[in-house]
Amino acid sequence: AQTVTQSQPEMSVQEAETVTLSCTYDTSENNYYLFWYKQPPSRQMILVIRQEAYKQQNATENRFSVNFQKAAKSFSLKISDSQLGDTAMYFCAFFTGNQFYFGTGTSLTVIP
Amino acid sequence: EAEVAQSPRYKITEKSQAVAFWCDPISGHATLYWYRQILGQGPELLVQFQDESVVDDSQLPKDRFSAERLKGVDSTLKIQPAELGDSAMYLCASSLLALSSYEQYFGPGTRLTVT
């Protein structure tokens, strides 16, 4: 069975600082994709960053980067220079075959 | 930019009533998902379509929920009768599922309150 675990229900960070959100997953598959989605309050979910499991290089998107440790089945998200607009729920997701699996989310608050 | 459309955005209904949600995916996206998201939790897949066919509905409570995508484009999710525990956000997402992209695009959701 595929599972995604986010062990940090809530986190906060000072504006302009860096924060790391954790995600671990469990699968017996070798080929899969990992995602971080952002869901701002009362707004729709959008993709933040994507990582293909066959790529060793960690994905980056502007202020967002991941630390992908395939052997450890870990996929953390680092947000640099945090901005007020980063306040949101963040969901780690895992895709293999034809189905997505989501974690329970981390609520991030950026403090002015 | 193309978006997934959902309606209504909010729905309040009494228990035992019927309720329906509509989703229009991004044009060309063959795969459509319906998720239920309880407040404070991650999305839970209810049903997945590939074109007009159901790929996975193992988590869909079939005694009261039904979903269809008759022409392989837009989709309707129905609950009859609604129960108090159905109060949640219902999200629709679509995906191209091409080799170069497995990204899902989400709609704004329908927030259902059952009283």
Side-chain angles (χ1 to χ4, degrees):
Chain A
Q2 334 283 357
T3 60
V4 180
T5 302
Q6 293 181 250
S7 59
Q8 305 152 314
E10 296 182 356
M11 294 191 71
S12 62
V13 61
Q14 292 287 339
E15 192 175 7
E17 297 295 309
T18 296
V19 64
T20 299
L21 309 183
S22 301
C23 173
T24 59
Y25 58 94
D26 189 22
T27 183
S28 58
E29 301 287 338
N30 193 48
N31 295 318
Y32 50 88
Y33 294 74
L34 294 159
F35 305 85
W36 278 98
Y37 281 89
K38 170 185 177 181
Q39 189 176 39
S42 300
R43 296 181 63 184
Q44 68 196 77
M45 197 173 306
I46 58 173
L47 179 70
V48 174
I49 198 165
R50 173 181 60 222
Q51 174 79 43
E52 292 86 347
Y54 62 85
K55 290 186 178 179
Q56 293 186 337
Q57 186 175 3
N58 289 324
T60 62
E61 287 288 341
N62 301 312
R63 299 182 295 107
F64 299 88
S65 62
V66 299
N67 183 4
F68 174 47
Q69 301 290 329
K70 190 172 183 179
K73 296 180 181 176
S74 171
F75 182 61
S76 61
L77 174 69
K78 185 172 80 172
I79 306 174
S80 304
D81 185 26
S82 296
Q83 301 176 359
L84 297 179
D86 295 334
T87 292
M89 282 289 290
Y90 287 81
F91 293 97
C92 178
F94 167 88
F95 174 82
T96 182
N98 61 354
Q99 189 169 49
F100 284 85
Y101 300 87
F102 284 84
T104 52
T106 296
S107 177
L108 176 67
T109 301
V110 179
I111 302 169
Chain B
E1 183 176 321
E3 294 184 341
V4 176
Q6 288 189 251
S7 67
R9 294 290 306 277
Y10 304 91
K11 180 69 176 179
I12 300 174
T13 191
E14 295 182 347
K15 64 179 182 179
S16 79
Q17 296 298 304
V19 64
F21 314 130
W22 177 80
C23 172
D24 191 13
I26 293 173
S27 178
H29 282 195
T31 306
L32 184 148
Y33 308 82
W34 281 103
Y35 290 93
R36 176 171 57 189
Q37 185 181 23
I38 296 171
L39 188 64
Q41 298 184 19
E44 172 196 20
L45 181 68
L46 291 175
V47 62
Q48 177 182 340
F49 289 93
Q50 182 69 26
D51 298 310
E52 67 276 9
S53 300
V54 173
V55 173
D56 185 349
D57 64 355
S58 58
Q59 301 302 312
L60 188 71
K62 298 181 185 65
D63 57 334
R64 298 185 299 108
F65 286 66
S66 64
E68 61 183 17
R69 193 184 184 199
L70 295 177
K71 297 182 179 179
V73 182
D74 59 336
S75 176
T76 301
L77 178 69
K78 297 179 181 178
I79 308 175
Q80 181 174 20
E83 295 181 353
L84 295 177
D86 296 332
S87 293
M89 176 75 85
Y90 290 82
L91 298 171
C92 179
S94 69
S95 178
L96 193 56
L97 285 188
L99 288 177
S100 61
S101 173
Y102 291 93
E103 179 179 339
Q104 285 186 111
Y105 295 82
F106 284 85
T110 296
R111 182 166 296 283
L112 173 66
T113 302
V114 182
T115 63

